[in-house]
Amino acid sequence: LQNILEGITEGFFALDRAWRYSFGNTVFSNFLGRSLEDLMHRNIWEEYPFLLNSQLHRKCMEVESTGRPVQFDENICEVGAVLRFTLSPFADGILVSFVNITQQVAAQEELRKLSLVASKTTNGVIIANYNLEIEWVNEAFASTTGYTLDEVAGRRPSEILASPDTD
């Protein structure tokens, strides 16, 4: 079992019913920058009191009381990371696995901002796939050219913008 848990790419730890670490893998200890030996048998809420006001704390209490697993994302500013947690009950406490999704969240936010700019700019914008086929155009493109997305989707810009119908 130890070899299996060391082989997974997610951080993993177990908490006993007194909220003490009873097991952890290397991904977990490396994330915290502490040795497993240093963490074992220590109470999570005493070691990291800032977690008492966290969603992780609330969800641990929920799993303890309901006996049902949960998954959620939380931005933990104190460690500078957005983590996706999965909490599952087991006979001796709660199993916790987590993945650092900070980069994915940042990329999604950047994409959201770029999408907003592309959709609101007064310049015509075309997004094409690797075959140079149109996948998306903004409102400015439609009002400038008179073509809607439905009319140009799947076509190449050169078919539309350099046709006998253009000037």
Side-chain angles (χ1 to χ4, degrees):
L1 181 61
Q2 176 74 27
N3 288 339
I4 291 170
L5 294 174
E6 282 299 329
I8 63 175
T9 59
E10 299 172 348
F12 178 84
F13 61 94
L15 297 169
D16 66 18
R17 297 211 176 271
W19 305 108
R20 294 178 303 233
Y21 295 109
S22 59
F23 178 84
N25 68 2
T26 305
V27 175
F28 157 67
S29 65
N30 287 344
F31 178 79
L32 291 177
R34 294 177 67 183
S35 71
L36 286 172
E37 295 77 25
D38 182 44
L39 289 163
M40 289 306 105
H41 310 294
R42 294 182 184 260
N43 181 291
I44 185 174
W45 316 126
E46 291 172 4
E47 290 299 302
Y48 301 101
F50 60 83
L51 291 175
L52 286 169
N53 295 319
S54 70
Q55 187 175 1
L56 175 62
H57 182 263
R58 288 187 296 279
K59 294 294 185 177
C60 281
M61 299 302 147
E62 177 183 323
V63 170
E64 180 189 42
S65 68
T66 67
R68 290 194 306 265
V70 297
Q71 186 177 62
F72 62 96
D73 299 345
E74 182 167 17
N75 182 359
I76 302 180
C77 298
E78 292 83 354
V79 296
V82 180
L83 303 176
R84 175 161 293 146
F85 288 100
T86 301
L87 310 180
S88 302
F90 79 112
D92 296 326
I94 294 177
L95 302 173
V96 179
S97 66
F98 65 91
V99 178
N100 187 339
I101 60 167
T102 305
Q103 290 180 335
Q104 293 94 318
V105 169
Q108 288 172 344
E109 179 61 16
E110 183 71 14
L111 181 59
R112 185 192 68 76
K113 290 175 185 174
L114 291 172
S115 295
L116 180 63
V117 169
S119 67
K120 300 300 181 193
T121 185
T122 57
N123 296 323
V125 176
I126 298 172
I127 297 178
N129 61 24
Y130 66 94
N131 289 323
L132 301 178
E133 298 164 335
I134 297 173
E135 292 186 344
W136 182 85
V137 297
N138 68 350
E139 290 178 27
F141 174 89
S143 65
T144 302
T145 64
Y147 292 110
T148 66
L149 175 58
D150 290 338
E151 294 171 313
V152 298
R155 297 174 67 189
R156 291 175 171 239
S158 59
E159 295 172 21
I160 298 155
L161 301 176
S163 72
D165 297 334
T166 61
D167 52 6

